[in-house]
Amino acid sequence: MSSQPPAPTPAKPPTAQRSDRELRADARRNRERVLRTAQQLFATDGLGVSLDEIARRAGVGPGTVHRHFPTKEALYLAVATDQLKQLVAEAEVLAAADDPAALFTLLSRMMANGAENVAVKSALVAAEFDLRTAAPDVAADLTRHVADLLDRAHAAGTVRDDLTVDEVMALVAGAFAAIRHAGAETSRKRSAHIAQIILDGLRPQPR
């Protein structure tokens, strides 16, 4: 009695053949695309932009956005944390350069970043989120880099010698409030002017 040859195993669809690593890489890219798009739209269109609109502009499905960020507050927090990570990366580059003015470069960038994302930061405050507790490792990394650059500036005499890192971080936070109070969030020129006034106060005072 002859037996029938075994039926060929059906090929898996292309999606099923992809490795977990490829799928994770896709998910990371989609998340980053959503974060960049959200940051831009929040800065230009305000916080009222919907998650579905962010998905459309990012070129991903609404489900992708809702899966990564089930609420607007989760997206606000992710955008703010991502900005902190970018500032840490910039600080690492500055720390590797032999520039005694690197502290002022970093602080200027931190203040500009705050001006660009003041609406998101205000929303986090309203929702009682604190980045220092929500993303403690990233916040600590940034503070550590500021402290290192401050030490370098002290040694070079480019910053007043009675300035501490806690005071520097407080002044950066104060710059955000000053820019918001002046209604300068949408004007890079005005927000940069306010930031410069604050930075000038950190320089050594004439005797």
Side-chain angles (χ1 to χ4, degrees):
M1 180 177 179
S2 62
S3 61
Q4 295 291 330
T9 302
K12 294 182 179 179
T15 301
Q17 291 179 338
R18 300 179 63 189
S19 69
D20 288 343
R21 181 176 297 177
E22 287 174 315
L23 291 174
R24 287 196 299 270
D26 275 355
R28 283 196 302 271
R29 283 193 294 269
N30 286 339
R31 187 177 188 277
E32 289 170 3
R33 191 179 300 129
V34 170
L35 284 176
R36 300 294 182 272
T37 302
Q39 180 195 346
Q40 181 182 9
L41 289 178
F42 289 153
T44 57
D45 298 356
L47 300 182
V49 61
S50 69
L51 293 179
D52 286 353
E53 176 61 13
I54 291 170
R56 187 184 71 79
R57 296 283 287 272
V60 301
T64 297
V65 177
H66 289 274
R67 184 165 58 252
H68 286 294
F69 312 106
T71 66
K72 268 284 191 69
E73 287 74 18
L75 182 53
Y76 297 154
L77 183 59
V79 167
T81 303
D82 184 64
Q83 287 299 299
L84 273 185
K85 290 179 179 177
Q86 291 184 49
L87 288 170
V88 168
E90 292 182 40
E92 290 171 349
V93 172
L94 289 169
D98 186 18
D99 180 6
L103 173 69
F104 291 93
T105 302
L106 177 60
L107 295 182
S108 179
R109 182 66 194 110
M110 289 170 66
M111 291 180 184
N113 175 274
E116 292 166 4
N117 295 280
V118 69
V120 169
K121 295 181 187 304
S122 297
L124 288 174
V125 170
E128 298 184 348
F129 278 111
D130 185 339
L131 280 176
R132 290 172 297 181
T133 54
D137 292 342
V138 184
D141 280 346
L142 183 58
T143 300
R144 176 173 52 81
H145 283 301
V146 172
D148 290 344
L149 294 179
L150 178 60
D151 287 343
R152 184 186 301 181
H154 274 144
T158 58
V159 69
R160 52 188 299 162
D161 56 15
D162 59 347
L163 191 64
T164 69
V165 67
D166 288 341
E167 290 167 343
V168 170
M169 300 306 286
L171 287 168
V172 170
F176 304 157
I179 289 167
R180 184 172 63 249
H181 183 77
E185 304 99 312
T186 58
S187 171
R188 287 190 176 182
K189 183 177 180 180
R190 290 186 64 208
S191 61
H193 179 65
I194 292 171
Q196 190 59 55
I197 292 171
I198 295 172
L199 291 176
D200 285 345
L202 307 187
R203 300 184 190 279
Q205 301 302 299
R207 302 203 180 265

